[in-house]
Amino acid sequence: METAIGIDLGTTFSAVSVIDESGKPVIVKNALGESLTPSVIFFESANNTVVGSEAKEMQAFGESNVASFFKRNMGDVNFELNFHGKSFSATDLSAILLKKLKDDAETTLNRKIAKAVVTVPAYFNDLQKKATIKAAEKAELEVLRIINEPTAAAIAFGVTQSKNQTILVYDLGGGTFDVTILKIEDSTIQVIATGGDHELGGKDWDNRLIGYFAAQFKNEFGEDPLDDAVSFNDLLVRAENVKKQLSTSQTSKFYIVYDGNRGNYEITRAKFEEITQDLLQRTTSKAEEILQEANLTWEQLDGVLLVGGSTRMPMVINWVEQMSGKPPIKGINVDEAVCLGAAIQANIELSESASVPVFSLGGRISKIEDVMSHSLGLIAENSDRSRYINSIIIPKNKKIPASEVRPYQIRTGRQTQELEIYLTQGETEIIGECKIIGKYVFSGIEYVSSGISIIDIEYQYDENGTVQIAATQRETGKKLSMEEVPLPADMSWIDRAPEQIQETAVPHISVVIAVDLSGSMSGHPLAEAQKAAKGFVEKLDLSNASVALMPFADRVEENPELTQNAKKLTNGINQWSSMMDSGTVGWGNSTHPFDESLKLLKKRDNPRFVIVLADGVWSYQDRAIASAKKCAAEGIEIIAIGFGGADKKFLQAIATSDENALFTNLENLVSSFSKIAQVLTETGGKGSIRLNQ
Amino acid sequence: MDKIFGIDLGTTYSCIAYVDESGKPVVVPNEDNERTTPSVVAFEGEASVIVGNYAKNMLTTDPEKVVSFIKRDMGNPYYVKKCNGIEYKPEEISARILQKLVKDASDKLGFEIKDVVITCPAYFGENEKLATKKAGEIAGLNVKSIIEEPVAAALAYGIDHTQNQTVLVYDLGGGTFDVTMIKVKPQEIQVIVKGGDHQLGGKDWDNSLMGFFAEKFKGETGVEDDILSNPEILGDLQIKAEKVKKTLSVRDNAKEKIVYGTDTSNIDIIREKFDELTKDLAERTIMLTNLMLDDAKKEGVSSFDKILMVGGSTKMPQIKEILEKNFPNISIEAFDQDESVAKGAAIYGQQLAIGEELIRIISEKTGKNKDDVKSGNYTEKEKVEAQQQLADENGLKIGTVQKAETKIINVASKSFGVEVIENNRVVISNIILIHTVLPAKCTKKYGTLEDNMQNIRIAVYENNIKEDTVATSDSKEIGQGIIEGLPANLPANSPVQVTFEIDREGLINVTAVELTGNNELNFRIETNSVISGEELEAAKARSNAIKLS
């Protein structure tokens, strides 16, 4: 019978698990009988390596031929370590570690293992995931699937649960921090939102301790013990012990022997918590950000699941209790949950590929719905073409598998042209805050008579977390041939202004979507409006368009802004529901959106649009019409869409032309909006919209 | 049906297990996710007790607050640990270990744990066993039974091995050594003879290393201080010695750094050196094994099928090597060295739980009272039906329920006798001999020493000798009782009948009757070796008042 294992390939520790005869996931011990294997490699010689506890000990001894924390460098082409004249990439090192995990598991289980599910941090990008798969292949392991660590932990937890619930997974490991919110419903685990800080982990708490003690030593003897690498390694190992000790004891002791001097120090738990308070604060901010993305509050959570060894710190447990109002969920092993979840997933994968089920699982999870951990996009130009921005194609937290098609306009020349796409990962428009992870060149774009061609770029993201990119020229319907090329070493151009070539520029469109959030919209109409607005954003070429969301009822939503960020827009649209519930803009009809729209669009060049969605009669129609006329006088085009109790005559009065006024029903709302987006994109905002046809 | 957990309360490490829903014994890891917890207790403050790894770490920083190896002092009337103004007896210190194991396990599993089976070395005497039970009581636990470690291991082994075989269980733990001959049959575990030394274990190997470290340090640094007299360094070396020993079990050499003041010495040791340092210890286990084999021969068992290595210290390659050398034609198997004892105790716990539940079911169905059912008053059909019902109600396999009938035939670990005067010499007259099958009940008649005696002292002794009369110097007094109010004018040599009864756990009950006046004395032996009275109550009260972490 075939065996597939789950592997938690961690920054500081790794573990292997398998589904046992009774259908339960269990940890497979290593050759030393340990459940966890330190992710540390000692190079005795170029070809002879020692992996695990012994290697970690060698490191503590100041042995320099030791590699650790290399997970933080996965996928980094510039990272390379040299041992005994041989160089190793992070992938090579991970392969050595994986091989050891595999060999030990084979010995312990006494059978051959060829397949595995490997977990990675939620923040890992395409390159890092590919590097992980490659490392596994080098270790002679076929990767059935790559899954995110918090998702794996949730699977391990979820299989033991019988009630539906929404939980937050707070995963603070040795080197990384992840927050994930998920819904466990019937036999499905659905990830709603996820995010993290991969520069934050238990190691930072250790470093604070070292800093604290070293400063005292320096004060006393005038020497800095951190100047010496051997001394630093020794302190690192012992500081970790102090940290762990302080999770149980109220005080702990530490000594530093350096350069013939000895300093003896003591620290209380309270002091330790004080010098690391800001680190905890960083996790707070992150958790609240993710909650906001999921449109949830602490009160709405059924519980917080702690994962990762660093969550043993009382300060974390107390904090979670304080924030969520209840103690964290018990009954899960913080070190093993990720690995056990991987074993469950491995078993599901194996069962799916086998003609007969291999095992029947004790739990009830049969389906896992994950979401994008990061937004994927490409590099585009901003509205006035003064700088490059990140234009998001698949927004973060979208359900996987995800695929999105976005139109991009380019000017075509007489010769066939090429289109360069830089794949980005990041949440804001600011390029500097994004990671550029790949370059793709599409060729064979044909000349079209209008001079502007629409290229539909499709991003696909599969369960293994890998990205596929394709492009089709809309006018010809032909799929463009694609070549993945290495990223240029010099990417400094992204920080400079794009070259101003007037004739190739496609005009930038600015759009305000003004949605009537009065009480009558509540329920199904609002849901349809949200769907329609999202569809609109998806169909629009955001590299050439900015959109502002402007919900209104008794008041207009404060500070609307024009953005090219698809993720921001999607989140904004999602928030309409809670705005409706809490009455942020009231529930009546006493205002209109045109004054605000004019204010917002004044700074922009044409083409400019206001798309108004109304479902009832506004209280002060005259004022609305007068302001709408002012907009029209400025050259802003107003498109008015109404349904339900909307007044047709009024719609025509506020629209810039009769053609721009549309009375429709709920069912057609989505298609109307997407039609508008398509026309805007295809005509660059210059053509007539002609909705009525 | 309540779950009864099995606890291996070891000298250096302890472990807790239970039989899970699928009928398999599984270990419940502690808070730190380790499957065994160091049996180390630190009294951080009056109301704060730390157990396990963090207590062990405190050996290097606050050694005066830390107790390790307490198992070696179980039953020692003179042991007391003074800390924060409180005097702690071994039972209370052991109770904290039990409490910690139970707390971590119930946190992990999400339900309360009350009923336990605790293991102790086969070689433990009466008082050590009683003290173990008391520790459970102090911890607020319901100690369903005490089971001997090699028996527990054999039980765990027997679950997966169905053919009849005679195994020599070589159990070298952190602090005790048991060597036991056991017949394992499908539904029966029969102990033939036991031997060993409960003052010999892995700790002694560590001690050899500590001595070596100290010497090396002196040689390398020229520091003349006796570093072993510094408690912090002693604690540090204790931890490092254990680490080096473990490293040398899997590698050929190990390194350790010793820091004393501002002097540092790097120790490098190869496995051969370690084996050489500890040669006498390994040889002592062989000597004890041979003694046990002699006893086995006397019981009619002169051959065995295999050696089962149990206990963490059997991971040292030198142990397998020396066994191979001395028993070249016997197969040697390492059997789940760290966990088999706890797992066996869990299996035993489940068997007890099933047994109790069956009695309840039969009694409910037939209307017979429970004691009646317990004494065997039921038909085969009633039993089979009850087994099926129990299996259905608890989601157990019927095989698991049937297997719970596994019989454990144990033998007395010691000979037990009374102090008598024979030919003007004080000697011990053994009433129950070592290796007598349990439960056992033996009676012997004695006469009063002189005329007109007003009371008689019954002093109970234990020893390892299978002979009727033994010198007091070879025996250990384990308690006494006094028969008072004898009839007046009782002539010398009036008959006194002494009965010793040992239950399945090996615990003794003594009855003495002065036959002329029919004065009966029935006592659980009174001894100051086991905590009792006010001390016991104070220890129990502290169990609820402390914060345990």
Side-chain angles (χ1 to χ4, degrees):
Chain A
M1 189 170 50
E2 199 173 10
T3 304
I5 52 174
I7 300 179
D8 172 6
L9 194 61
T11 312
T12 48
F13 285 97
S14 296
V16 174
S17 64
V18 74
I19 300 290
D20 72 2
E21 314 77 43
S22 63
K24 270 203 314 204
V26 289
I27 293 291
V28 181
K29 291 191 211 169
N30 66 18
L32 295 179
E34 303 159 326
S35 303
L36 301 176
T37 303
S39 304
V40 184
I41 305 170
F42 165 53
F43 288 82
E44 231 166 8
S45 65
N47 299 316
N48 193 19
T49 55
V50 176
V51 178
S53 296
E54 299 152 35
K56 199 179 174 188
E57 270 166 38
M58 300 310 286
Q59 188 177 34
F61 265 103
E63 174 60 65
S64 59
N65 287 316
V66 175
S68 61
F69 287 103
F70 42 85
K71 181 173 169 181
R72 283 189 168 176
N73 301 97
M74 282 300 270
D76 178 354
V77 290
N78 298 317
F79 175 83
E80 201 178 82
L81 291 179
N82 278 288
F83 299 105
H84 305 285
K86 219 166 143 182
S87 74
F88 297 87
S89 67
T91 308
D92 296 333
L93 296 169
S94 298
I96 293 170
L97 174 57
L98 281 164
K99 182 82 173 53
K100 161 79 174 166
L101 294 172
K102 178 195 170 204
D103 289 349
D104 276 14
E106 285 183 339
T107 310
T108 306
L109 295 172
N110 197 20
R111 53 189 123 125
K112 280 269 158 213
I113 293 158
K115 294 176 175 178
V117 164
V118 183
T119 64
V120 295
Y123 71 80
F124 257 26
N125 63 35
D126 194 41
L127 278 179
Q128 293 166 308
K129 285 178 186 172
K130 277 186 181 148
T132 305
I133 294 173
K134 203 168 157 206
E137 279 165 2
K138 281 184 118 175
E140 290 154 40
L141 274 171
E142 180 195 333
V143 176
L144 291 170
R145 187 163 167 181
I146 292 276
I147 56 173
N148 287 345
E149 288 157 11
T151 311
I155 294 170
F157 170 70
V159 288
T160 65
Q161 297 302 300
S162 53
K163 66 173 204 289
N164 294 345
Q165 51 192 310
T166 304
I167 59 166
L168 183 146
V169 182
Y170 179 102
D171 180 357
L172 186 61
T176 61
F177 174 62
D178 272 318
V179 180
T180 304
I181 295 173
L182 27 92
K183 244 190 195 143
I184 299 169
E185 213 158 58
D186 302 321
S187 58
T188 304
I189 293 180
Q190 190 195 349
V191 179
I192 302 174
T194 179
D197 183 342
H198 64 271
E199 306 274 311
L200 183 64
K203 201 182 172 216
D204 298 297
W205 269 259
D206 301 345
N207 286 338
R208 285 295 162 84
L209 276 175
I210 296 176
Y212 176 75
F213 293 127
Q216 293 184 52
F217 186 91
K218 208 174 160 188
N219 227 357
E220 215 173 316
F221 304 106
E223 302 262 3
D224 189 351
L226 304 186
D227 285 346
D228 176 66
V230 173
S231 157
F232 181 74
N233 270 335
D234 172 54
L235 298 184
L236 201 64
V237 173
R238 290 192 294 113
E240 193 188 335
N241 290 337
V242 167
K243 175 187 72 179
K244 288 183 181 168
Q245 187 74 33
L246 286 172
S247 288
T248 305
S249 310
Q250 290 297 335
T251 61
S252 189
K253 292 174 183 165
F254 196 76
Y255 68 81
I256 297 177
V257 172
Y258 182 65
D259 216 21
N261 293 312
R262 181 183 174 112
N264 290 313
Y265 309 106
E266 200 170 312
I267 184 165
T268 63
R269 188 191 290 174
K271 186 72 197 172
F272 172 59
E273 292 181 353
E274 184 193 314
I275 61 172
T276 54
Q277 194 54 42
D278 60 311
L279 297 174
L280 189 65
Q281 190 51 45
R282 271 166 71 187
T283 72
T284 312
S285 317
K286 191 44 91 175
E288 301 203 317
E289 183 188 317
I290 306 302
L291 270 172
Q292 207 176 2
E293 281 177 11
N295 229 336
L296 288 170
T297 61
W298 286 105
E299 294 75 41
Q300 287 170 298
L301 293 174
D302 292 299
V304 176
L305 187 65
L306 298 181
V307 180
S310 301
T311 59
R312 286 210 178 85
M313 288 188 284
M315 66 192 292
V316 170
I317 298 166
N318 294 339
W319 173 83
V320 164
E321 186 155 359
Q322 214 181 317
M323 297 308 283
S324 64
K326 40 185 160 297
I329 297 169
K330 276 195 176 181
I332 183 158
N333 189 320
V334 298
D335 294 315
E336 293 178 355
V338 167
C339 189
L340 297 178
I344 296 170
Q345 186 62 38
N347 201 48
I348 292 173
E349 298 285 333
L350 214 56
S351 314
E352 278 174 1
S353 62
S355 51
V356 281
V358 180
F359 292 117
S360 58
L361 260 180
R364 45 196 276 287
I365 300 303
S366 58
K367 202 172 149 205
I368 290 128
E369 286 178 5
D370 208 346
V371 299
M372 304 283 297
S373 311
H374 302 276
S375 303
L376 293 176
L378 48 75
I379 299 178
E381 294 170 4
N382 72 337
S383 59
D384 62 6
R385 300 178 198 291
S386 59
R387 62 191 160 84
Y388 289 105
I389 57 159
N390 171 40
S391 170
I392 291 172
I393 295 190
I394 308 184
K396 186 180 172 212
N397 294 333
K398 194 172 164 79
K399 211 184 266 182
I400 296 171
S403 97
E404 288 280 341
V405 182
R406 280 205 158 276
Y408 281 83
Q409 297 161 294
I410 60 163
R411 231 170 234 283
T412 54
R414 291 282 166 204
Q415 270 110 36
T416 60
Q417 270 184 311
E418 286 189 343
L419 172 66
E420 290 179 350
I421 299 281
Y422 288 90
L423 172 64
T424 60
Q425 172 187 293
E427 310 311 323
T428 64
E429 284 183 4
I430 303 162
I431 288 281
E433 292 176 0
C434 297
K435 209 168 169 146
I436 299 158
I437 53 182
K439 182 182 178 183
Y440 303 84
V441 177
F442 292 96
S443 50
I445 300 169
E446 288 176 23
Y447 171 75
V448 292
S449 56
S450 67
I452 294 176
S453 176
I454 313 275
I455 310 293
D456 284 312
I457 296 180
E458 184 179 18
Y459 275 30
Q460 277 185 342
Y461 192 85
D462 66 16
E463 278 95 346
N464 263 334
T466 48
V467 193
Q468 306 286 342
I469 300 181
T472 313
Q473 189 171 12
R474 200 178 284 182
E475 293 80 6
T476 61
K478 266 200 255 169
K479 212 167 168 184
L480 303 176
S481 64
M482 188 266 283
E483 190 190 356
E484 189 178 351
V485 298
L487 281 172
D490 179 14
M491 288 291 290
S492 61
W493 56 271
I494 56 168
D495 299 324
R496 294 192 290 268
E499 283 171 42
Q500 297 289 337
I501 308 165
Q502 274 312 314
E503 61 268 28
T504 62
V506 176
H508 189 92
I509 308 169
S510 303
V511 187
V512 171
I513 301 179
V515 178
D516 180 352
L517 274 196
S518 62
S520 53
M521 281 291 285
S522 171
H524 186 52
L526 178 64
E528 286 300 309
Q530 284 174 308
K531 228 195 267 174
K534 278 187 206 168
F536 177 84
V537 170
E538 271 169 29
K539 292 258 155 31
L540 207 60
D541 171 7
L542 280 176
S543 67
N544 275 308
S546 307
V547 178
L549 302 173
M550 190 180 288
F552 65 96
D554 286 331
R555 295 176 291 280
V556 176
E557 147 89 318
E558 280 168 33
N559 307 321
E561 63 167 322
L562 284 160
T563 176
Q564 290 173 260
N565 185 332
K567 189 189 115 193
K568 238 186 196 168
L569 290 168
T570 313
N571 285 342
I573 295 167
N574 284 337
Q575 274 165 24
W576 291 350
S577 334
S578 59
M579 287 174 74
M580 172 71 97
D581 292 341
S582 55
T584 314
V585 292
W587 290 286
N589 286 104
S590 48
T591 193
H592 66 80
F594 301 115
D595 292 344
E596 284 298 322
S597 299
L598 184 59
K599 233 184 348 194
L600 201 59
L601 293 173
K602 215 160 193 164
K603 291 161 248 164
R604 297 294 178 114
D605 293 328
N606 279 340
R608 294 174 292 179
F609 298 87
V610 177
I611 305 173
V612 188
L613 179 68
D615 82 320
V617 180
W618 299 355
S619 307
Y620 306 101
Q621 297 203 347
D622 293 350
R623 286 187 208 169
I625 295 168
S627 293
K629 297 266 186 261
K630 261 191 231 165
C631 287
E634 288 278 335
I636 297 171
E637 241 187 281
I638 296 173
I639 301 166
I641 302 173
F643 65 90
D647 172 354
K648 208 167 181 179
K649 279 248 157 56
F650 172 68
L651 293 179
Q652 282 171 346
I654 55 174
T656 356
S657 67
D658 286 357
E659 284 171 349
N660 279 2
L662 170 69
F663 190 83
T664 181
N665 53 30
L666 264 185
E667 288 68 49
N668 291 330
L669 211 53
V670 173
S671 61
S672 303
F673 265 80
S674 99
K675 176 89 191 296
I676 299 171
Q678 190 188 336
V679 173
L680 288 181
T681 297
E682 288 181 3
T683 62
K686 281 179 179 157
S688 148
I689 306 281
R690 261 193 268 274
L691 285 173
N692 285 341
Q693 287 168 5
Chain B
M1 194 174 76
D2 286 338
K3 284 203 184 307
I4 300 179
F5 279 65
I7 298 181
D8 172 3
L9 183 62
T11 313
T12 51
Y13 287 89
S14 295
C15 181
I16 183 165
Y18 76 114
V19 178
D20 74 1
E21 301 70 32
S22 63
K24 243 181 31 184
V26 290
V27 165
V28 189
N30 65 18
E31 193 182 21
D32 286 325
N33 197 27
E34 287 150 345
R35 302 173 69 85
T36 58
T37 301
S39 303
V40 183
V41 180
F43 296 96
E44 191 186 30
E46 212 176 298
S48 166
V49 180
I50 298 171
V51 177
N53 269 323
Y54 301 106
K56 193 171 175 179
N57 287 346
M58 286 171 74
L59 279 171
T60 64
T61 56
D62 301 277
E64 72 286 351
K65 292 181 179 168
V66 185
V67 184
S68 43
F69 313 117
I70 192 59
K71 188 173 179 179
R72 283 196 166 176
D73 283 300
M74 290 295 265
N76 172 1
Y78 309 110
Y79 181 92
V80 63
K81 171 76 180 177
K82 267 192 199 162
C83 213
N84 309 308
I86 300 171
E87 294 193 341
Y88 299 101
K89 301 288 279 182
E91 290 88 342
E92 180 170 0
I93 298 166
S94 294
R96 301 301 165 235
I97 300 169
L98 293 171
Q99 255 183 306
K100 165 75 173 167
L101 292 171
V102 164
K103 175 177 174 274
D104 281 5
S106 67
D107 277 355
K108 197 136 276 186
L109 297 171
F111 55 82
E112 210 196 349
I113 297 167
K114 270 277 168 219
D115 298 335
V116 296
V117 167
I118 305 175
T119 66
C120 66
Y123 222 57
F124 251 20
E126 174 76 11
N127 289 335
E128 291 86 353
K129 280 184 184 164
L130 268 180
T132 304
K133 257 196 145 164
K134 284 282 180 234
E137 189 184 326
I138 294 169
L141 297 168
N142 184 10
V143 183
K144 288 286 189 179
S145 187
I146 296 281
I147 179 174
E148 290 168 4
E149 286 152 12
V151 177
L155 197 55
Y157 182 78
I159 285 289
D160 298 324
H161 298 81
T162 45
Q163 80 272 33
N164 291 353
Q165 49 188 325
T166 304
V167 294
L168 186 158
V169 180
Y170 177 101
D171 179 1
L172 187 61
T176 57
F177 173 60
D178 272 327
V179 60
T180 313
M181 189 67 85
I182 299 181
K183 280 190 177 165
V184 181
K185 298 177 198 167
Q187 297 251 319
E188 190 179 290
I189 303 285
Q190 186 191 356
V191 180
I192 311 295
V193 288
K194 319 172 183 180
D197 181 350
H198 68 268
Q199 302 288 344
L200 177 65
K203 178 190 189 303
D204 298 294
W205 272 257
D206 298 351
N207 286 347
S208 303
L209 275 177
M210 285 164 73
F212 173 77
F213 289 172
E215 221 171 88
K216 271 264 177 184
F217 180 84
K218 205 179 228 173
E220 263 187 39
T221 61
V223 175
E224 281 300 318
D225 304 10
D226 175 15
I227 62 169
L228 293 177
S229 64
N230 176 316
E232 279 92 4
I233 294 293
L234 193 70
D236 187 45
L237 292 189
Q238 188 180 316
I239 291 171
K240 284 176 174 162
E242 190 195 335
K243 239 173 86 186
V244 163
K245 176 185 70 180
K246 285 184 176 168
T247 304
L248 290 176
S249 291
V250 288
R251 303 199 71 197
D252 299 335
N253 70 316
K255 285 182 185 173
E256 201 44 89
K257 188 165 87 179
I258 294 166
V259 180
Y260 173 73
T262 56
D263 288 298
T264 301
S265 162
N266 284 317
I267 310 274
D268 211 328
I269 178 169
I270 56 169
R271 190 188 285 168
E272 284 87 56
K273 179 70 194 171
F274 172 62
D275 291 350
E276 181 197 313
L277 288 170
T278 54
K279 196 162 178 267
D280 54 327
L281 296 170
E283 276 170 357
R284 178 163 166 75
T285 69
I286 297 300
M287 189 270 285
L288 291 163
T289 302
N290 286 328
L291 282 180
M292 185 278 287
L293 287 174
D294 290 345
D295 286 346
K297 259 182 216 143
K298 287 180 201 154
E299 302 296 330
V301 177
S302 52
S303 73
F304 54 100
D305 298 308
K306 68 163 61 162
I307 296 175
L308 221 50
M309 293 196 301
V310 175
S313 300
T314 58
K315 288 180 186 166
M316 291 184 289
Q318 56 167 273
I319 297 300
K320 192 168 184 202
E321 282 161 18
I322 201 166
L323 284 172
E324 276 169 348
K325 204 176 102 196
N326 284 276
F327 305 99
N329 301 316
I330 302 284
S331 93
I332 299 167
E333 185 183 334
F335 176 62
D336 201 5
Q337 289 139 303
D338 288 326
E339 299 177 0
S340 56
V341 169
K343 286 177 180 168
I347 293 167
Y348 187 58
Q350 196 199 33
Q351 294 186 354
L352 291 177
I354 288 174
E356 281 178 16
E357 190 70 359
L358 281 177
I359 289 167
R360 187 191 63 78
I361 293 173
I362 295 173
S363 144
E364 260 174 30
K365 285 182 102 172
T366 60
K368 294 173 193 164
N369 84 38
K370 278 191 190 174
D371 289 336
D372 208 12
V373 177
K374 211 171 184 171
S375 62
N377 183 7
Y378 53 83
T379 65
E380 183 65 20
K381 185 165 168 277
E382 282 166 354
K383 187 185 85 182
V384 170
E385 278 173 12
Q387 283 178 330
Q388 190 59 53
Q389 183 182 336
L390 188 148
D392 294 345
E393 280 174 5
N394 294 284
L396 294 172
K397 291 183 198 121
I398 188 71
T400 308
V401 178
Q402 287 160 349
K403 199 125 199 196
E405 284 191 286
T406 299
K407 219 160 115 188
I408 296 176
I409 302 171
N410 202 350
V411 295
S413 307
K414 308 267 175 188
S415 294
F416 295 94
V418 289
E419 187 185 274
V420 296
I421 316 263
E422 189 187 59
N423 303 330
N424 292 324
R425 219 162 39 96
V426 180
V427 292
I428 306 303
S429 163
N430 277 337
I431 295 177
I432 287 183
L433 294 180
I434 186 170
H435 301 143
T436 304
V437 174
L438 301 180
K441 187 174 179 179
C442 294
T443 300
K444 264 192 182 175
K445 248 187 225 174
Y446 300 94
T448 49
L449 182 64
E450 307 163 348
D451 290 343
N452 302 325
M453 279 176 73
Q454 287 170 7
N455 54 44
I456 305 165
R457 173 175 178 263
I458 308 283
V460 182
Y461 279 73
E462 66 185 20
N463 55 70
N464 299 320
I465 301 164
K466 196 177 181 176
E467 271 163 32
D468 286 341
T469 310
V470 177
T472 43
S473 56
D474 290 334
S475 278
K476 182 180 156 201
E477 185 177 338
I478 57 172
Q480 62 161 336
I482 310 259
I483 307 180
E484 284 177 322
L486 300 188
N489 308 320
L490 199 64
N493 225 9
S494 297
V496 177
Q497 181 180 289
V498 181
T499 305
F500 278 18
E501 204 176 345
I502 307 186
D503 63 14
R504 289 184 188 281
E505 292 176 24
L507 295 173
I508 191 165
N509 189 36
V510 180
T511 328
V513 187
E514 180 277 302
L515 292 170
T516 314
N518 205 22
N519 277 307
E520 188 168 327
L521 179 69
N522 187 338
F523 56 97
R524 278 273 172 203
I525 307 161
E526 275 172 30
T527 169
N528 61 354
S529 297
V530 181
I531 194 169
S532 64
E534 273 174 33
E535 276 184 321
L536 176 64
E537 293 313 313
K540 280 189 191 169
R542 280 191 287 271
S543 296
N544 297 318
I546 54 162
K547 188 185 159 283
L548 187 75
S549 47

